[in-house]
Amino acid sequence: MQLRGFRVEPGEIESVLVSHPAVAQAVVVARSDDTDTPGVTDTTKRLVGYLVLDGAQDTDAVTAELRAFVGSRLPEYMVPSAFVVLDGLPLTVNGKVDKAALPAPVFSGGAYRAPASAEEELLAGVFAEVLGVDRVGVDDDFFALGGDSIRSIQVVTQARHVGLSVRARDVFEARTVAGLALLAGASGGAEDRVVLEELPGGGVGEVGLLPIGHWMLDREGSHGRYGQWMVLDLPAGIDHDGLVATLSAVVDRHDMWRSRLIPGHVHGNGSGEQSKLVVDEPGSIDISTLLHRVVCDGGSDEKAWGELISAELDRALNRLDPAAGTMLQFVWFTPTGTGTGTGTGTGTSTGTGADVGRLLVVAHHLVVDGVSWRILVPDFIEAWQAVEAGRAPSCPVSARRSDAGARPWPRMPGVPSASPNWTTGRRPSPPPTPPSAPGASTPRSTPLLRRTGCGCGCPPR
């Protein structure tokens, strides 16, 4: 199965679990958060381990030990977010495990202990937002509550927004608000962190395609329209220059968004050139040429909004051209009479409900996937806050090296209340796939962003 961009073999995890002397049977499944946990609202898939213990055991002690046991033998992304102990595994009439009958896990902490310091108060709020729960005690284990590697990156980003400096590694090692607060309080700020020097050439130059990229190119027909998209509500008062500066900063930060495809050709004997991407220097992309403005009524007619965005999405997908380096398109929907500066595009009398403006972000599948969208919005927020304050947005690191791997772009439930805009909006479903998209499948919502879609026809995950 595919989980958060990684290939996960449940059988491999099950083998490790049953190698523990306390475990008699184990089955691992990936399930969304249709849990019994009060306050949990997202539908992200997480690994859950169902266990039958060997004899009478202290359930809490065994599950705590198993998390460390599995983590010492497998990568972190293969460690189940929760363990459920059963008297026996449910079986079908054919004697196989009835996975549909497995109970939903309850992600919960221990006895609640309230924050006792300013750092604990801030981090408890960050934990609660990232995990999608009502509150988190200072002794509650982040991973027992359903945390994972992606959420640890979200914690790092949201902690930075509230003035605390922590690393994803700190989240894994400390695990609780109390432990992380000690590290954050002792850091003295990001300037005290060890920052790896950039590799020669940074994130610029040739990059080999991932297997999914080769799979896409090997398919029959055109691949130019294989894109994914997201719709964002924009902050009030943003103008053309501010939006261009914000988008430019984000594109400069993320190297792959400045790439172009160099098609190769491999002969039957294995000779020839493989297809690859070439990443250009920061500042090489003129965002104003990729930004198209559409003036609309700004009403509340959701049907009309759906028709408008479908038409503009179809046009935006047609403009993608990986070989020419056109990996991105931005469509800016502005209500009539807002006076938000100059831009390109056409007017329309269609209502959209976009009282402060909306932005359609379209990216080719070579440079974005489902996980990428989850780690996008705070970069827009951070860049816009700098632009709004009259500061130059800072984009110092490349995609090849940073404190936590990929530059974090967490989901909206983790965005601090001080940044109410750049949200994923109000429409409950993604825009429909344009009918002319070759080989496109029905769009799937990325679980944490209700307003994303995929027209790439990629293999099921």
Side-chain angles (χ1 to χ4, degrees):
M1 70 176 73
Q2 289 283 341
L3 188 69
R4 306 194 303 272
F6 296 102
R7 182 170 180 82
V8 176
E9 294 290 348
E12 186 176 358
I13 307 171
E14 292 164 1
S15 296
V16 172
L17 287 172
V18 297
S19 70
H20 190 281
V23 179
Q25 292 178 286
V27 62
V28 174
V29 299
R31 61 184 303 157
S32 58
D33 285 345
D34 52 347
T35 70
D36 297 329
T37 310
V40 172
T41 57
D42 68 71
T43 56
T44 306
K45 282 195 172 182
R46 300 174 180 173
L47 289 175
V48 179
Y50 293 89
L51 313 170
V52 176
L53 301 184
D54 188 6
Q57 303 280 348
D58 183 335
T59 299
D60 292 338
V62 169
T63 55
E65 183 180 341
L66 277 174
R67 188 169 284 107
F69 181 80
V70 177
S72 66
R73 290 160 174 79
L74 295 173
E76 183 280 329
Y77 63 84
M78 295 180 71
V79 178
S81 295
F83 293 102
V84 178
V85 177
L86 305 173
D87 293 332
L89 297 176
L91 303 177
T92 66
V93 293
N94 296 324
K96 297 182 179 180
V97 175
D98 186 358
K99 295 182 179 180
L102 293 170
V106 177
F107 297 105
S108 63
Y112 177 76
R113 184 164 72 90
S117 67
E119 290 83 2
E120 289 182 351
E121 185 75 35
L122 291 171
L123 287 171
V126 168
F127 272 36
E129 287 185 76
V130 169
L131 294 169
V133 297
D134 295 331
R135 70 176 186 179
V136 174
V138 297
D139 298 320
D140 292 344
D141 188 299
F142 177 75
F143 297 97
L145 290 172
D148 52 38
S149 58
I150 295 297
R151 286 176 175 79
S152 72
I153 298 175
Q154 295 174 355
V155 168
V156 172
T157 302
Q158 299 313 318
R160 185 173 69 243
H161 281 303
V162 298
L164 298 176
S165 177
V166 297
R167 300 171 299 177
R169 180 182 301 176
D170 296 335
V171 180
F172 281 99
E173 293 178 352
R175 307 180 73 90
T176 66
V177 167
L180 196 58
L182 294 176
L183 297 176
S187 90
E191 63 275 6
D192 291 341
R193 292 292 189 189
V194 176
V195 179
L196 297 176
E197 293 184 6
E198 183 56 273
L199 296 170
V204 176
E206 295 183 358
V207 181
L209 289 181
L210 295 174
I212 190 67
H214 289 292
W215 170 87
M216 183 197 73
L217 295 180
D218 288 341
R219 298 188 68 187
E220 295 182 359
S222 172
H223 55 262
R225 289 171 52 95
Y226 287 178
Q228 295 191 342
W229 52 86
M230 181 199 314
V231 182
L232 298 172
D233 286 346
L234 293 174
I238 195 168
D239 59 13
H240 177 266
D241 292 342
L243 183 56
V244 168
T246 300
L247 298 178
S248 297
V250 175
V251 171
D252 282 350
R253 176 173 293 186
H254 297 281
D255 302 323
M256 297 307 295
W257 279 23
R258 305 189 308 275
S259 65
R260 51 192 167 88
L261 175 66
I262 307 297
H265 181 73
V266 179
H267 303 288
N269 60 6
S271 64
E273 291 285 336
Q274 293 276 2
S275 298
K276 59 189 175 183
L277 296 174
V278 174
V279 181
D280 293 327
E281 296 279 350
S284 60
I285 303 296
D286 183 358
I287 293 298
S288 62
T289 65
L290 306 178
L291 178 61
H292 299 260
R293 184 182 176 196
V294 175
V295 179
C296 46
D297 282 351
S300 57
D301 187 341
E302 291 296 327
K303 179 181 179 181
W305 161 248
E307 294 173 351
L308 175 62
I309 194 175
S310 293
E312 292 300 328
L313 172 60
D314 189 70
R315 297 186 184 101
L317 288 169
N318 280 333
R319 292 192 293 267
L320 294 179
D321 187 352
T326 307
M327 296 289 192
L328 304 169
Q329 287 291 299
F330 303 99
V331 182
W332 179 24
F333 299 94
T334 59
T336 54
T338 56
T340 49
T342 61
T344 61
T346 57
T348 175
S349 59
T350 307
T352 69
D355 50 350
V356 295
R358 290 178 179 176
L359 183 71
L360 170 64
V361 182
V362 182
H364 197 277
H365 207 357
L366 285 171
V367 300
V368 75
D369 61 15
V371 175
S372 303
W373 293 118
R374 291 177 51 192
I375 52 177
L376 173 62
V377 175
D379 268 4
F380 284 125
I381 294 174
E382 184 177 349
W384 166 242
Q385 287 176 337
V387 170
E388 189 178 32
R391 305 189 310 270
S394 176
C395 305
V397 301
S398 76
R400 294 192 184 182
R401 214 161 182 175
S402 69
D403 185 50
R407 171 66 72 164
W409 293 350
R411 68 182 174 92
M412 280 311 301
V415 174
S417 58
S419 303
N421 299 300
W422 292 97
T423 66
T424 54
R426 299 173 292 277
R427 190 168 178 267
S429 60
T433 304
S436 56
S441 62
T442 302
R444 303 179 303 277
S445 293
T446 300
L448 296 180
L449 289 175
R450 294 179 295 120
R451 303 185 63 191
T452 59
C454 177
C456 62
C458 50
R461 296 186 177 184

